[in-house]
Amino acid sequence: MNIENKTALPDYLIDAAATNGDSLHNNNNTSWDEVAAIISGLIGGGRYGLKIRIPHAFVMTFLFGNKLSFRRKLQVIAKLAAEHSINLASFACVYKFLLASLKVLSRLTRQNNDGGSGDGGDASVHHYGIVRQLAKSVMTIIVNGPFSSSPSKLDTTPAGLPQHPYHAFLAGAVGGYIVWGRYSSVNYQLILYLASRILVGCIKLAREKGIRPFSWKRLEFANSYPYGAAVIWGTVMMLFEEYPEVLHPSLRRSMDEIYRFASFGGGSSTSSLNAPAGGAR
């Protein structure tokens, strides 16, 4: 495959080519390549989950788990690390599997459309019948996205990568529902983490696209950051003082440690002295 042909690919596939060497020179990705990508995601997710969660759980458990025995602390750390690792590995596996499945469905949809285009006139419509034609249209929309006029004609997508961004969204959404849809402290923490990162990423994207007011020079990061910090800290302190029950328990405990408990003089907790004006909540 001539390297000049890469210019016909979307930017995100060109970037993938840069990080995957000669992946785009080989357009004969087999099912085993996709299986290898799924296994790689499974192993990588599990390994990263252990690496990132064990230190965090160790510090937080020994810092705030004063009432727990040493054995119980180790059990809590192992449980949190295992949950984080298993969930990341499961999501990576589901995500890669769905990407591979969407590639296959996209190829079948394209072949179906190409095969029916040569029958002439409305013959293919009558042949398939209204119900089959409707099902075919629905499947095309599901596989290729609601705003795609025709199936993707890319057959050179490296194994483990989405054929186009819609596939990434669909696979991520399904995987998120299956794996992360069950509430737990670990899952909730990751959802909150991703929400903040997505918000910042969307603002950066809007700025790159020239969308106002995010593209205004006076709203550049260096200029807007102090105001963002002021709004966030002002809001969280107001909630802590007036509506502490709406804050996450871990955040509330941390703020109690700083702003409620007396540090000098052997005094007791200052919670009763600094109780919200509206009374206990």
Side-chain angles (χ1 to χ4, degrees), residues 17-269:
T19 59
N20 286 277
D22 296 331
S23 295
L24 292 181
H25 291 277
N26 178 16
N27 59 359
N28 296 319
N29 288 325
T30 65
S31 299
W32 288 112
D33 294 324
E34 298 293 349
V35 171
I38 294 172
I39 296 176
S40 176
L42 181 69
I43 296 174
R47 182 177 63 243
Y48 184 80
L50 291 175
K51 181 174 69 174
I52 200 69
R53 177 56 63 172
I54 289 178
H56 179 271
F58 182 87
V59 172
M60 298 301 292
T61 302
F62 277 88
L63 187 63
F64 294 105
N66 298 327
K67 298 180 180 180
L68 301 177
S69 65
F70 181 78
R71 181 177 180 179
R72 179 56 182 163
K73 288 177 180 178
L74 294 181
Q75 290 176 343
V76 170
I77 293 171
K79 177 179 180 297
L80 293 175
E83 181 180 1
H84 197 159
S85 177
I86 291 173
N87 285 357
L88 282 179
S90 300
F91 177 80
C93 184
V94 172
Y95 177 73
K96 296 287 188 179
F97 172 78
L98 290 176
L99 289 183
S101 300
L102 287 170
K103 288 179 186 177
V104 174
L105 291 175
S106 180
R107 188 183 310 118
L108 293 176
T109 303
R110 182 174 66 251
Q111 291 174 353
N112 194 9
N113 288 345
D114 293 342
S117 61
D119 293 338
D122 295 331
S124 62
V125 176
H126 294 301
H127 175 71
Y128 285 106
I130 297 177
V131 176
R132 288 189 177 182
Q133 191 68 21
L134 179 61
K136 176 181 170 183
S137 300
V138 171
M139 179 60 66
T140 301
I141 293 175
I142 293 175
V143 172
N144 299 292
F147 305 108
S148 177
S149 58
S150 61
S152 174
K153 296 185 180 299
L154 295 172
D155 287 321
T156 56
T157 308
L161 295 182
Q163 200 168 45
H164 52 74
Y166 171 74
H167 286 183
F169 173 81
L170 185 59
V174 174
Y177 182 85
I178 294 174
V179 178
W180 305 105
R182 179 185 60 84
Y183 175 82
S184 70
S185 60
V186 172
N187 289 358
Y188 188 55
Q189 185 182 43
L190 263 69
I191 294 299
L192 292 179
Y193 172 83
L194 290 177
S196 63
R197 294 301 187 264
I198 289 172
L199 177 61
V200 173
C202 288
I203 293 175
K204 289 182 178 179
L205 181 61
R207 177 171 178 78
E208 292 178 359
K209 298 295 185 180
I211 300 175
R212 298 180 177 180
F214 304 104
S215 61
W216 292 350
K217 185 175 180 59
R218 58 178 174 271
L219 290 183
E220 289 182 349
F221 181 81
N223 298 328
S224 60
Y225 177 80
Y227 299 102
V231 171
I232 290 173
W233 276 100
T235 302
V236 74
M237 294 310 300
M238 182 192 70
L239 292 175
F240 173 68
E241 298 292 355
E242 292 297 324
Y243 308 100
E245 74 279 358
V246 304
L247 297 176
H248 193 271
S250 63
L251 174 60
R252 193 164 65 245
R253 285 195 299 268
S254 300
M255 298 184 76
D256 278 337
E257 185 80 16
I258 300 171
Y259 306 108
R260 288 287 185 262
F261 299 144
S263 301
F264 300 100
S268 59
S269 170

